[in-house]
PDB file of all heavy atoms in Angstrom:
ATOM      1  N   ASP P  97      -4.533   5.191 -21.860  1.00 98.00           N
ATOM      2  CA  ASP P  97      -4.396   5.312 -23.316  1.00 98.00           C
ATOM      3  C   ASP P  97      -3.907   6.750 -23.564  1.00 98.00           C
ATOM      4  O   ASP P  97      -4.628   7.663 -23.314  1.00 98.00           O
ATOM      5  CB  ASP P  97      -5.740   5.042 -24.026  1.00 98.00           C
ATOM      6  CG  ASP P  97      -5.548   4.920 -25.458  1.00 98.00           C
ATOM      7  OD1 ASP P  97      -4.435   4.775 -25.970  1.00 98.00           O
ATOM      8  OD2 ASP P  97      -6.595   4.975 -26.195  1.00 98.00           O
ATOM      9  N   ASN P  98      -2.595   6.894 -23.950  1.00 97.00           N
ATOM     10  CA  ASN P  98      -2.034   8.246 -24.265  1.00 97.00           C
ATOM     11  C   ASN P  98      -2.151   9.104 -23.008  1.00 97.00           C
ATOM     12  O   ASN P  98      -2.426  10.276 -23.089  1.00 97.00           O
ATOM     13  CB  ASN P  98      -2.905   8.941 -25.317  1.00 97.00           C
ATOM     14  CG  ASN P  98      -2.142   8.910 -26.579  1.00 97.00           C
ATOM     15  OD1 ASN P  98      -0.938   9.187 -26.627  1.00 97.00           O
ATOM     16  ND2 ASN P  98      -2.836   8.644 -27.651  1.00 97.00           N
ATOM     17  N   ARG P  99      -1.753   8.565 -21.891  1.00 96.00           N
ATOM     18  CA  ARG P  99      -1.808   9.335 -20.662  1.00 96.00           C
ATOM     19  C   ARG P  99      -0.617  10.309 -20.610  1.00 96.00           C
ATOM     20  O   ARG P  99       0.583   9.891 -20.906  1.00 96.00           O
ATOM     21  CB  ARG P  99      -1.693   8.401 -19.473  1.00 96.00           C
ATOM     22  CG  ARG P  99      -1.867   9.096 -18.148  1.00 96.00           C
ATOM     23  CD  ARG P  99      -1.733   8.189 -16.915  1.00 96.00           C
ATOM     24  NE  ARG P  99      -1.929   8.816 -15.712  1.00 96.00           N
ATOM     25  CZ  ARG P  99      -3.160   9.067 -15.163  1.00 96.00           C
ATOM     26  NH1 ARG P  99      -4.237   8.613 -15.728  1.00 96.00           N
ATOM     27  NH2 ARG P  99      -3.283   9.731 -14.055  1.00 96.00           N
ATOM     28  N   LYS P 100      -0.851  11.505 -20.285  1.00 93.00           N
ATOM     29  CA  LYS P 100       0.240  12.485 -20.126  1.00 93.00           C
ATOM     30  C   LYS P 100       0.353  12.699 -18.610  1.00 93.00           C
ATOM     31  O   LYS P 100      -0.517  13.203 -17.947  1.00 93.00           O
ATOM     32  CB  LYS P 100      -0.121  13.811 -20.778  1.00 93.00           C
ATOM     33  CG  LYS P 100      -0.144  13.692 -22.337  1.00 93.00           C
ATOM     34  CD  LYS P 100      -0.952  14.777 -22.999  1.00 93.00           C
ATOM     35  CE  LYS P 100      -1.404  14.401 -24.411  1.00 93.00           C
ATOM     36  NZ  LYS P 100      -2.341  13.262 -24.438  1.00 93.00           N
ATOM     37  N   SER P 101       1.524  12.359 -18.092  1.00 88.00           N
ATOM     38  CA  SER P 101       1.713  12.463 -16.636  1.00 88.00           C
ATOM     39  C   SER P 101       2.654  13.634 -16.334  1.00 88.00           C
ATOM     40  O   SER P 101       3.747  13.730 -16.924  1.00 88.00           O
ATOM     41  CB  SER P 101       2.250  11.142 -16.051  1.00 88.00           C
ATOM     42  OG  SER P 101       3.306  10.656 -16.718  1.00 88.00           O
ATOM     43  N   ALA P 102       2.208  14.467 -15.418  1.00 90.00           N
ATOM     44  CA  ALA P 102       3.086  15.644 -15.056  1.00 90.00           C
ATOM     45  C   ALA P 102       3.586  15.293 -13.619  1.00 90.00           C
ATOM     46  O   ALA P 102       2.835  14.790 -12.780  1.00 90.00           O
ATOM     47  CB  ALA P 102       2.231  16.886 -15.024  1.00 90.00           C
ATOM     48  N   SER P 103       4.841  15.588 -13.399  1.00 93.00           N
ATOM     49  CA  SER P 103       5.452  15.322 -12.111  1.00 93.00           C
ATOM     50  C   SER P 103       4.933  16.282 -11.047  1.00 93.00           C
ATOM     51  O   SER P 103       4.679  17.476 -11.359  1.00 93.00           O
ATOM     52  CB  SER P 103       6.992  15.432 -12.166  1.00 93.00           C
ATOM     53  OG  SER P 103       7.529  15.289 -10.906  1.00 93.00           O
ATOM     54  N   ARG P 104       4.714  15.779  -9.821  1.00 94.00           N
ATOM     55  CA  ARG P 104       4.331  16.612  -8.766  1.00 94.00           C
ATOM     56  C   ARG P 104       5.535  17.477  -8.217  1.00 94.00           C
ATOM     57  O   ARG P 104       5.373  18.477  -7.579  1.00 94.00           O
ATOM     58  CB  ARG P 104       3.825  15.852  -7.525  1.00 94.00           C
ATOM     59  CG  ARG P 104       2.819  14.850  -7.782  1.00 94.00           C
ATOM     60  CD  ARG P 104       2.378  14.219  -6.425  1.00 94.00           C
ATOM     61  NE  ARG P 104       3.396  13.916  -5.496  1.00 94.00           N
ATOM     62  CZ  ARG P 104       4.151  12.840  -5.462  1.00 94.00           C
ATOM     63  NH1 ARG P 104       4.042  11.935  -6.366  1.00 94.00           N
ATOM     64  NH2 ARG P 104       5.105  12.667  -4.545  1.00 94.00           N
ATOM     65  N   LEU P 105       6.689  16.947  -8.571  1.00 97.00           N
ATOM     66  CA  LEU P 105       7.895  17.526  -7.929  1.00 97.00           C
ATOM     67  C   LEU P 105       8.380  18.738  -8.689  1.00 97.00           C
ATOM     68  O   LEU P 105       8.199  18.899  -9.846  1.00 97.00           O
ATOM     69  CB  LEU P 105       9.036  16.502  -7.957  1.00 97.00           C
ATOM     70  CG  LEU P 105       8.674  15.133  -7.457  1.00 97.00           C
ATOM     71  CD1 LEU P 105       9.907  14.231  -7.474  1.00 97.00           C
ATOM     72  CD2 LEU P 105       8.039  15.159  -6.088  1.00 97.00           C
ATOM     73  N   GLN P 106       8.928  19.626  -7.899  1.00 98.00           N
ATOM     74  CA  GLN P 106       9.497  20.875  -8.448  1.00 98.00           C
ATOM     75  C   GLN P 106      10.927  21.026  -7.866  1.00 98.00           C
ATOM     76  O   GLN P 106      11.102  21.126  -6.637  1.00 98.00           O
ATOM     77  CB  GLN P 106       8.668  22.011  -7.922  1.00 98.00           C
ATOM     78  CG  GLN P 106       8.495  23.145  -8.862  1.00 98.00           C
ATOM     79  CD  GLN P 106       7.503  24.077  -8.301  1.00 98.00           C
ATOM     80  OE1 GLN P 106       6.237  23.741  -8.058  1.00 98.00           O
ATOM     81  NE2 GLN P 106       7.927  25.325  -7.999  1.00 98.00           N
ATOM     82  N   THR P 107      11.932  20.862  -8.709  1.00 98.00           N
ATOM     83  CA  THR P 107      13.274  20.943  -8.194  1.00 98.00           C
ATOM     84  C   THR P 107      13.678  22.373  -8.011  1.00 98.00           C
ATOM     85  O   THR P 107      13.122  23.289  -8.614  1.00 98.00           O
ATOM     86  CB  THR P 107      14.280  20.231  -9.135  1.00 98.00           C
ATOM     87  OG1 THR P 107      14.327  20.827 -10.374  1.00 98.00           O
ATOM     88  CG2 THR P 107      13.832  18.709  -9.252  1.00 98.00           C
ATOM     89  N   TRP P 108      14.716  22.605  -7.253  1.00 99.00           N
ATOM     90  CA  TRP P 108      15.072  24.047  -6.881  1.00 99.00           C
ATOM     91  C   TRP P 108      16.532  24.132  -6.724  1.00 99.00           C
ATOM     92  O   TRP P 108      17.329  23.168  -6.567  1.00 99.00           O
ATOM     93  CB  TRP P 108      14.400  24.487  -5.638  1.00 99.00           C
ATOM     94  CG  TRP P 108      14.443  23.514  -4.492  1.00 99.00           C
ATOM     95  CD1 TRP P 108      13.547  22.574  -4.171  1.00 99.00           C
ATOM     96  CD2 TRP P 108      15.521  23.475  -3.505  1.00 99.00           C
ATOM     97  NE1 TRP P 108      14.051  21.871  -2.958  1.00 99.00           N
ATOM     98  CE2 TRP P 108      15.249  22.425  -2.582  1.00 99.00           C
ATOM     99  CE3 TRP P 108      16.718  24.203  -3.331  1.00 99.00           C
ATOM    100  CZ2 TRP P 108      16.063  22.091  -1.561  1.00 99.00           C
ATOM    101  CZ3 TRP P 108      17.540  23.847  -2.231  1.00 99.00           C
ATOM    102  CH2 TRP P 108      17.223  22.802  -1.388  1.00 99.00           C
ATOM    103  N   ASP P 109      16.989  25.375  -6.664  1.00 99.00           N
ATOM    104  CA  ASP P 109      18.469  25.673  -6.474  1.00 99.00           C
ATOM    105  C   ASP P 109      18.505  26.885  -5.476  1.00 99.00           C
ATOM    106  O   ASP P 109      17.512  27.209  -4.803  1.00 99.00           O
ATOM    107  CB  ASP P 109      19.191  25.922  -7.711  1.00 99.00           C
ATOM    108  CG  ASP P 109      18.729  27.064  -8.518  1.00 99.00           C
ATOM    109  OD1 ASP P 109      17.950  27.907  -7.970  1.00 99.00           O
ATOM    110  OD2 ASP P 109      19.081  27.205  -9.692  1.00 99.00           O
TER     111      ASP P 109
END
Side-chain angles (χ1 to χ4, degrees):
D97 190 13
N98 256 316
R99 186 180 182 87
K100 290 160 200 64
S101 48
S103 174
R104 308 185 318 277
L105 311 184
Q106 216 173 298
T107 64
W108 51 266
D109 61 15

